[in-house]
């Protein structure tokens, strides 16, 4: 009986301390780099009573703080999103088109800032209102909303399982929802800095914004 009481007290203490905000703060502070596979499901809001349609894509993700990350979309179409610390590059392989934006202007209140760019929770709170959300699907969640009024992002939820990043749920101002699920996450992985360097392919149409 005494052992059970001790276990119960410990379990309550863990529950009291465990939260999505704690997980997010620990992730931002302690995880300096990482790589994972991802699956992304984008669902547009239904129109005129029609059933909502979803599109699924998948690929790999790498990042290194501060401010460097790479999404490599492999299916169903090849696409790259690379942030090198100065510029965010979007490369559509089929169109052979590159879009380049200054990173300081592109990332402030974006999901990428939540997981890859900021170096501490205070930096995130400059751009986001952050709060614990209810546990769901075995995950502990943080709900974030951008402070900037002109942001195209409505909200983002970040889900953790046992202190490990597992999901991002993003809703834009048009009601489109994007759910990114990470798997095989390797924290503090050794990543070659050259991975985040991007040079537009020969003949590609480059658009700078």
């Amino acid at each position: 009986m005494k052992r059970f009481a001790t276990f119960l007290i410990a379990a309550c203490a863990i529950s009291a301390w465990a939260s999505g905000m704690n997980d997010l703060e620990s992730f931002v502070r302690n995880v300096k780099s990482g790589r994972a596979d991802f699956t992304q499901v984008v669902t547009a809001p239904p129109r005129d009573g029609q059933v909502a349609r979803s599109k699924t894509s998948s690929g790999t993700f790498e990042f290194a703080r501060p401010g460097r990350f790479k999404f490599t979309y492999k299916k169903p179409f090849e696409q790259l999103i690379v942030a090198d610390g100065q510029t965010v590059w979007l490369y559509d392989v089929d169109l052979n088109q590159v879009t380049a934006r200054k990173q300081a202007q592109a990332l402030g209140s974006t999901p990428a800032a939540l997981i890859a760019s900021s170096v501490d929770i205070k930096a995130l709170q400059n751009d986001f209102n952050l709060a614990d959300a209810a546990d769901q699907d075995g995950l502990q969640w943080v709900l974030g909303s951008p402070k900037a009024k002109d942001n195209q992002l409505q909200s983002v939820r970040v889900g953790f399982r046992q202190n490990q990043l597992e999901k991002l749920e993003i809703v834009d101002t048009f009601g489109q929802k994007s759910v990114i699920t990470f798997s095989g996450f390797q924290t503090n992985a050794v990543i070659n800095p050259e991975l985040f360097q991007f040079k537009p392919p020969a003949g590609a149409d480059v658009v700078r914004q």
Side-chain angles (χ1 to χ4, degrees):
M1 185 68 179
K2 187 175 180 180
R3 286 185 178 178
F4 176 76
T6 302
F7 172 80
L8 185 60
I9 292 171
C12 289
I14 291 172
S15 177
W17 282 102
S19 73
M21 282 295 293
N22 287 340
D23 286 343
L24 178 61
E25 184 171 6
S26 176
F27 180 80
V28 172
R29 182 178 65 249
N30 298 321
V31 180
K32 304 304 182 184
S33 64
R35 62 164 55 93
D37 297 324
F38 74 87
T39 300
Q40 180 174 358
V41 179
V42 178
T43 305
R47 296 181 179 179
D48 300 327
Q50 297 178 353
V51 177
R53 295 184 178 182
S54 298
K55 295 181 180 179
T56 301
S57 54
S58 61
T60 59
F61 168 66
E62 293 93 6
F63 77 96
R65 299 187 195 280
R68 292 173 295 165
F69 63 85
K70 182 177 184 179
F71 282 93
T72 304
Y73 289 81
K74 299 179 179 180
K75 295 179 180 181
F77 307 106
E78 292 185 64
Q79 191 178 71
L80 291 177
I81 302 175
V82 183
D84 60 16
Q86 300 295 324
T87 304
V88 178
W89 304 90
L90 171 61
Y91 175 44
D92 188 310
V93 177
D94 287 344
L95 296 178
N96 198 25
Q97 183 179 72
V98 176
T99 302
R101 296 185 64 190
K102 291 183 178 180
Q103 191 161 322
Q105 299 173 354
L107 285 189
S109 300
T110 69
L114 282 167
I115 60 174
S117 294
S118 297
V119 294
D120 57 47
I121 198 72
K122 290 183 179 180
L124 283 178
Q125 290 172 327
N126 289 332
D127 295 315
F128 286 91
N129 295 307
L130 300 171
D132 284 318
D135 291 1
Q136 184 180 2
D137 301 326
L139 302 179
Q140 293 175 313
W141 294 90
V142 173
L143 176 63
S145 58
K147 293 182 177 180
K149 294 181 179 180
D150 58 348
N151 196 281
Q152 295 183 352
L153 178 69
Q154 178 177 316
S155 67
V156 57
R157 290 204 312 160
V158 189
F160 294 88
R161 188 188 303 276
Q162 298 179 347
N163 301 317
Q164 184 67 270
L165 176 66
E166 187 166 312
K167 275 193 178 184
L168 285 177
E169 293 187 356
I170 306 154
V171 180
D172 66 20
T173 53
F174 299 102
Q176 179 174 271
K177 184 177 182 179
S178 179
V179 179
I180 301 175
T181 303
F182 298 100
S183 60
F185 213 111
Q186 302 175 37
T187 58
N188 293 319
V190 177
I191 298 177
N192 189 334
E194 293 182 359
L195 183 73
F196 306 109
Q197 297 177 5
F198 179 82
K199 182 178 180 180
D205 181 24
V206 179
V207 179
R208 296 187 181 272
Q209 298 179 341

